[in-house]
Amino acid sequence: MLTLAILSSIPDHRRGQGRLFDLPHVLLCSILAVLAGADSYRSVYRFIDVRWDWLRQHTGLNWRRKPCYTALYTILRGIDAAALEQALRQQAAQLIAPTQNEGLCAIALDGKTLRGSLDQAAQTPALQWLSAFRHLDHLVLGQVCWRDGDKNNEIAAAQQLIEELGLPGQLYTLDALHCQKNTADCSKKRQ
């Protein structure tokens, strides 16, 4: 379960007087909204609006009013993405710690290209994403992204992600692109 304590570790970029809405609750509401299918700041706002009473009752939310979508945009655009990812990885590590002694567990590494991220006018390559998914508890353990048209960077990203996860004794499944000695050696180092 995602807790406010984990989200409180993320630094707030706003000045003290500009904090009508506390960052941990904004993040929690935004994550819940995205999990429920929200794909824009307006749909995050609609999620908060529709579930306002439930959020106040179950999350300890004590805002006097709901943030508008422009306030959500301003708050969320300044978030340190690396700090957010680190906090979510810590949460994932806490969730999988009790189950590490259950033997071999499969972790699937799979890369995708983010649809609509290619900008031919600016000659910017598409954003590519590699995720590590643990089958035992249906948990995304980590993600790495890069912006380069070269498919070989996925191999380096997989090696980096396996090293960062630091999970010994796990079975990593990858597609045929990763059938290379260096990637296999990377997962063996952790055992």
Side-chain angles (χ1 to χ4, degrees):
M1 174 74 180
L2 186 61
T3 63
L4 288 172
I6 292 288
L7 298 175
S8 296
S9 67
I10 300 166
D12 197 341
H13 65 283
R14 300 171 293 163
R15 297 179 309 176
Q17 43 295 45
R19 297 183 185 179
L20 289 175
F21 309 105
D22 62 307
L23 185 61
H25 276 102
V26 170
L27 289 171
L28 180 63
C29 290
S30 299
I31 290 169
L32 290 173
V34 168
L35 289 173
D39 59 357
S40 68
Y41 296 106
R42 288 180 193 255
S43 56
V44 171
Y45 167 75
R46 282 192 298 273
F47 174 86
I48 293 171
D49 186 41
V50 169
R51 292 162 182 85
W52 178 250
D53 293 329
W54 185 91
L55 289 168
R56 290 180 65 115
Q57 180 182 2
H58 295 304
T59 66
L61 189 65
N62 59 0
W63 299 336
R64 283 188 242 142
R65 61 184 175 91
K66 304 165 204 152
C68 62
Y69 72 92
T70 55
L72 291 170
Y73 169 77
T74 303
I75 295 167
L76 294 175
R77 75 177 174 149
I79 300 251
D80 181 9
L84 178 61
E85 181 179 357
Q86 188 61 32
L88 294 175
R89 282 192 183 188
Q90 287 175 355
Q91 177 70 28
Q94 289 175 2
L95 290 173
I96 66 170
T99 59
Q100 276 188 347
N101 296 329
E102 295 181 9
L104 195 62
C105 179
I107 298 175
L109 270 69
D110 191 25
K112 299 291 179 203
T113 301
L114 188 63
R115 185 175 174 183
S117 65
L118 175 67
D119 188 357
Q120 291 179 344
Q123 295 180 345
T124 305
L127 183 66
Q128 294 178 312
W129 207 266
L130 183 75
S131 298
F133 178 77
R134 185 172 140 133
H135 293 275
L136 178 68
D137 41 19
H138 306 288
L139 185 64
V140 175
L141 301 177
Q143 298 175 325
V144 182
C145 67
W146 67 96
R147 201 178 267 280
D148 188 357
D150 189 9
K151 193 72 169 163
N152 289 331
N153 285 343
E154 186 176 324
I155 295 168
Q159 293 169 357
Q160 173 191 348
L161 189 55
I162 289 171
E163 297 237 352
E164 286 178 3
L165 291 175
L167 295 171
Q170 304 300 311
L171 173 67
Y172 291 91
T173 62
L174 302 110
D175 46 14
L177 175 70
H178 300 280
C179 293
Q180 297 189 7
K181 187 177 186 314
N182 292 341
T183 306
D185 289 344
C186 184
S187 64
K188 286 181 184 176
K189 286 180 195 175
R190 292 299 186 180
Q191 293 183 4

